[in-house]
């Protein structure tokens, strides 16, 4: 997540124009911008050097280069499984959005509904979703259904909460402002409430999509014939640690990719409040 | 679009009261049977101690809060919801940070579903009038507090409201910016000649700007003094502030606050 902060800061600098930021820039925007990358390279380099030096075998801890080579060699295999997991994650996340957003709206607009549903939601949230995985397999079989359901269940809560909080935290004076212009509730929602809540909502989406990846992979651990979680279990049983690592890297690559897709959509649809500060 | 010489709206308030119901059933009587007639095209300032019901009066006039008893009419129409002829400037600028300055000014046009393209030139003209030429594509966070409040005023003026309601619009500004804004407001009003209700706790800015100053008593809000201000226009900053009559008016208002113990005489 640190890397997105860096990107956010870079965007802010771009929007800020030239004159105002000269002081900050003189401290080295180059170093600031690439600091995450530099640190990553240093850590990976250390790993690469320390493994042979310490005498650990490839079966215990492969070097980063070996993992990278393996990823390149096994690209078709990894891709075919990643494709399955990606589908489960996206489907589960989409369901969470489609169910979570209307629910959030109902909670926001109806006091009674909020009172009724909140305790239930919180109670459900305290159930560890992972513990439901075996049950879901029992009910829904070995296909993609239990994985999608798990991804949905695990990513649903942050979407509801962030949307409700985003809508509720609006300055009441802004509502008065547009009402004084004669706005209907419909207009108030689309001109003020929703745009003001978007940063919160996207924050919830980002958390949710990372969780959806976890949900899908755990579903695959329990019972699957395809998917990255399944591939990893296979590598495990074959003591193929390098492939195991290659799968882990692919899983996190999936999460990072989805995170950045949402981040890109957010940047297109919102203007950061303190972009120029 | 040229500045149409549109007459201001007439305001007629009679026996207006507002009671806020609170949870601990000690209801707050914020306004107590206010009677008030405002001439079309006049500039009326309201001063009064904090909590006397000034904002309540404005909120009722804006159609944002229902009256408890009594009635308000704007150009003869009873007010029960926001009247299309009114524009409001609140104490904080309330600009939408995700919209550019120009899109903020055009918000009322969008909400009233009018042709936004037609008003673009007018919005830019207004910006130029308050010294913000070329700022249309900036975002509010790129402006200073004074600039933002100017934009908020442009937003209220885009439709040339027959009745402009302002709730301590310069309260949050530094003295220099405030002086500039007071002068800008006067020239805008001299051009438009609409009806303005200007709420403030600054006695001097009330006297400087208004044709008529209403002094409100502490809660429950009533009009204690209705003072006609007879100073030549356009008023100039130093000249008017040195005027003997100007000081007479200020003293008269201070005397009321001192008598009520809101200000200590010294
Ligand atoms: N929504 C509300 N619910 C209950 N009481 C309220 C509400 N709004 C205002 N009041 C009360 O009504 C009285 C008048 O409030 P109002 O905001 O109109 O004062 P004001 O003259 O604008 O004060 P200030 O100069 O501080 O802005 C106050 O005593 C306040 O506590
Ligand atoms: Mg007030």
């Amino acid at each position: 997540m640190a890397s997105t902060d860096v990107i956010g800061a870079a965007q802010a600098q771009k929007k800020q124009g030239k004159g105002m930021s000269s002081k900050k820039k003189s401290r080295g925007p180059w170093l600031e911008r690439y600091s995450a990358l530099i640190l990553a390279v240093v850590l990976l380099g250390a790993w690469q050097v320390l493994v042979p030096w310490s005498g650990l075998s490839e079966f215990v801890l492969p070097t980063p280069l070996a993992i990278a080579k393996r990823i390149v060699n096994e690209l078709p295999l990894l891709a075919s499984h990643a494709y399955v997991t990606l589908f489960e994650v996206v489907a589960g996340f989409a369901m969470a959005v489609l169910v979570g957003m209307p629910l959030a709206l109902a909670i926001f607009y109806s006091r009674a509904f909020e009172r009724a549903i909140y305790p239930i939601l919180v109670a459900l949230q305290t159930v560890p979703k992972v513990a439901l995985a075996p049950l879901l397999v029992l009910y829904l079989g070995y296909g993609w259904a239990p994985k999608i359901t798990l991804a949905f269940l695990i990513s649903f809560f942050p979407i509801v909460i962030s949307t409700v909080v985003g809508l509720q935290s609006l300055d009441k004076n802004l509502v008065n402002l547009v009402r004084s212009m004669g706005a209907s509730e419909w207009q108030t929602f689309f001109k003020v409430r929703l745009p003001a809540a978007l940063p919160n909502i996207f924050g919830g989406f980002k958390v949710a999509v990372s969780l959806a990846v976890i949900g899908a992979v755990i579903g695959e651990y329990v019972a699957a014939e395809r998917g990255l979680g399944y591939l990893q279990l296979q590598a495990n049983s074959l003591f193929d640690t390098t492939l195991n690592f290659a799968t882990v890297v692919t899983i996190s690559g999936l999460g990072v990719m989805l995170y950045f897709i949402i981040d890109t959509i957010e940047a297109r649809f919102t203007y950061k409040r303190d972009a120029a500060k | 679009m040229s500045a149409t010489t549109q007459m201001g709206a007439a305001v007629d308030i009679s026996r207006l009261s507002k009671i806020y119901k609170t949870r601990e059933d000690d209801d707050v009587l914020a306004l107590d049977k206010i009677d008030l007639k405002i001439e079309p095209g006049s500039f009326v300032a309201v001063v009064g101690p904090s909590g006397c019901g000034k904002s309540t009066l404005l909120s009722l006039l804006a159609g944002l809060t229902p009256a408890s008893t009594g009635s308000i009419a704007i150009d003869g129409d009873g007010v029960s919801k926001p009247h299309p002829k009114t524009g409001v400037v609140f104490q904080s600028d309330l600009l939408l940070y995700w919209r550019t300055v120009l899109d903020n000014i055009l918000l009322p046009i969008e909400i009233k579903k009018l042709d936004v393209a037609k008003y673009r030139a007018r919005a830019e003209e207004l910006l130029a009038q308050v010294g913000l030429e070329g700022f249309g594509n900036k975002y509010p966070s790129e402006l200073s507090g004074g600039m933002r409040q100017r934009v908020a005023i442009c937003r209220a003026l885009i439709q040339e409201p027959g009745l402009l309601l302002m709730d301590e619009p310069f309260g949050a500004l530094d003295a220099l910016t405030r002086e500039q804004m007071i002068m800008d407001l006067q020239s805008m009003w001299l051009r438009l000649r609409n009806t303005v209700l200007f709420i403030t706790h600054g006695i001097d800015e009330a006297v400087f700007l208004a044709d008529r100053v209403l002094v409100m008593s502490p809660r429950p809000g009533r009009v204690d003094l209705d003072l006609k201000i007879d100073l030549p226009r356009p008023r100039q900053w130093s000249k008017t502030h040195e005027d003997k009559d100007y000081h007479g008016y200020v003293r008269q208002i201070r005397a009321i606050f001192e008598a009520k113990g809101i200000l200590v005489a010294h």
Side-chain angles (χ1 to χ4, degrees):
Chain A
M1 258 158 245
S3 52
T4 50
D5 289 344
V6 172
I7 286 179
Q11 279 173 343
Q13 282 203 340
K14 245 187 270 158
K15 278 178 183 158
Q16 190 172 24
K18 277 161 197 157
M20 296 149 82
S21 62
S22 56
K23 250 182 215 156
K24 267 188 191 162
K25 273 189 181 164
S26 66
R27 281 190 49 205
W30 188 87
L31 191 68
E32 228 168 85
R33 197 165 197 165
Y34 297 109
S35 55
L37 192 68
I38 293 167
L39 182 63
V41 168
V42 168
L43 289 175
L44 287 172
W47 180 357
Q48 180 71 34
V49 174
L50 286 179
V51 168
W53 177 79
S54 66
L56 280 173
S57 104
E58 282 274 296
F59 293 108
V60 179
L61 188 64
T63 63
L65 279 180
I67 297 166
K69 227 163 94 190
R70 190 65 186 273
I71 290 175
V72 173
N73 290 340
E74 304 279 16
L75 214 49
L77 176 75
L78 286 167
S80 70
H81 287 279
Y83 194 68
V84 174
T85 307
L86 180 64
F87 167 73
E88 294 159 358
V89 171
V90 171
F93 175 75
M95 261 173 68
V97 173
L98 288 178
V99 177
M101 300 282 282
L103 192 74
L105 286 183
I107 289 171
F108 175 70
Y109 277 107
S110 161
R111 245 293 142 72
F113 189 70
E114 177 184 354
R115 289 263 163 82
I117 201 92
Y118 243 71
I120 300 175
L121 273 182
V122 172
L124 284 180
Q125 180 56 13
T126 58
V127 175
K129 305 297 170 305
V130 175
L132 295 177
L135 280 171
L136 289 172
V137 171
L138 188 67
Y139 296 141
L140 300 170
Y142 289 79
W144 41 260
K147 288 89 178 176
I148 292 176
T149 310
L150 205 59
F152 161 74
L153 286 175
I154 207 168
S155 62
F156 165 78
F157 197 69
I159 290 176
V160 176
I161 296 302
S162 63
T163 306
V164 171
V165 169
L167 290 169
Q168 282 176 343
S169 59
L170 180 69
D171 180 356
K172 203 168 168 285
N173 289 318
L174 283 177
V175 176
N176 274 338
L177 172 79
V178 289
R179 276 185 57 213
S180 80
M181 298 170 182
S184 61
E185 179 47 44
W186 186 262
Q187 284 178 315
T188 305
F189 181 80
F190 283 104
K191 301 270 183 224
V192 178
R193 291 194 201 280
L194 184 62
L198 277 182
N200 262 298
I201 294 175
F202 275 108
F205 282 1
K206 287 178 190 170
V207 173
V209 89
S210 316
L211 288 174
V213 173
I214 297 174
V217 170
I218 285 177
E220 290 169 355
Y221 285 163
V222 175
E225 284 144 3
R226 289 183 314 156
L228 291 170
Y230 164 78
L231 183 64
Q232 207 193 347
L233 285 190
Q234 269 211 326
N236 232 15
S237 62
L238 296 172
F239 296 102
D240 189 345
T241 317
T242 314
L243 180 62
N244 202 327
F245 266 97
T247 317
V248 170
V249 172
T250 312
I251 292 171
S252 34
L254 212 63
V256 170
M257 181 189 81
L258 290 166
Y259 185 96
F260 273 102
I261 288 174
I262 292 175
D263 198 61
T264 309
I265 296 172
E266 178 182 13
R268 261 192 77 59
F269 282 99
T270 64
Y271 178 81
K272 292 206 170 58
R273 182 198 288 272
D274 5 77
K277 276 182 186 155
Chain B
M1 218 166 290
S2 67
T4 46
T5 42
Q6 161 201 28
M7 272 292 273
V11 178
D12 199 337
I13 296 173
S14 79
R15 316 285 295 164
L16 185 70
S17 299
K18 177 67 189 177
I19 299 162
Y20 285 111
K21 302 248 181 269
T22 55
R23 253 170 258 167
E24 310 84 33
D25 39 62
D26 49 337
D27 296 349
V28 177
L29 179 59
L31 292 177
D32 190 18
K33 296 192 217 76
I34 303 247
D35 282 300
L36 182 64
K37 261 191 185 7
I38 299 177
E39 291 292 312
S42 60
F43 196 120
V44 178
V46 179
V47 292
S50 184
C52 73
K54 303 184 295 293
S55 296
T56 302
L57 178 64
L58 180 128
S59 174
L60 261 63
L61 273 164
L64 295 172
T65 315
S68 301
T69 60
S71 66
I72 302 172
I74 295 174
D75 272 353
D77 310 328
V79 172
S80 54
K81 57 179 195 328
H83 192 282
K85 268 201 167 180
T86 52
V88 188
V89 178
F90 294 88
Q91 176 159 13
S92 57
D93 55 71
L94 298 178
L95 297 179
L96 307 181
Y97 69 84
W98 58 88
R99 282 174 169 251
T100 62
V101 164
L102 210 57
D103 287 342
N104 265 291
I105 297 176
L106 291 167
L107 181 66
I109 305 299
E110 268 177 48
I111 285 177
K112 288 176 179 152
K113 299 203 174 88
L114 300 171
D115 186 354
V116 173
K118 267 193 191 161
Y119 281 85
R120 210 162 273 275
R122 161 100 187 119
E124 267 158 10
E125 195 182 305
L126 277 170
L127 272 177
Q129 280 172 18
V130 296
L132 289 176
E133 197 158 9
F135 279 82
N137 292 322
K138 297 233 180 260
Y139 284 88
S141 57
E142 297 170 294
L143 307 184
S144 71
M147 290 164 142
R148 294 164 63 123
Q149 194 56 289
R150 274 165 224 247
V151 174
I153 292 173
C154 291
R155 178 179 58 193
L157 291 178
I158 183 77
Q159 273 220 289
E160 305 191 341
L163 174 62
L164 180 63
L165 304 170
M166 306 178 94
D167 193 354
E168 301 192 26
F170 308 148
L173 304 178
D174 64 278
L176 278 177
T177 312
R178 210 177 116 240
E179 177 182 330
Q180 185 63 51
M181 300 283 284
I182 287 170
M183 298 312 290
D184 283 354
L185 178 61
Q186 177 182 237
S187 36
M188 271 186 294
W189 175 73
L190 286 174
R191 238 185 335 260
L192 273 174
R193 285 289 179 175
N194 56 348
T195 310
V196 178
L197 188 88
F198 181 84
I199 288 173
T200 175
H201 48 228
I203 298 172
D204 38 348
E205 75 183 20
V207 173
F208 183 88
L209 278 167
D211 296 323
R212 186 177 166 196
V213 176
L214 305 173
V215 182
M216 283 179 74
S217 61
R219 221 178 71 202
R222 284 197 204 93
V223 179
D224 262 1
L225 175 72
D226 186 343
L227 189 63
K228 191 165 164 14
I229 307 294
D230 224 342
L231 295 170
R233 289 201 195 262
R235 296 175 187 164
Q236 281 148 358
W237 189 261
S238 329
K239 218 168 145 214
T240 303
H241 280 99
E242 283 155 17
D243 194 308
K244 246 179 63 220
D245 292 340
Y246 167 85
H247 287 286
Y249 293 130
V250 172
R251 227 174 294 125
Q252 225 176 315
I253 296 168
R254 285 189 68 95
I256 296 204
F257 287 159
E258 281 162 12
K260 298 250 173 191
I262 295 154
L263 279 174
V264 182
H266 44 218

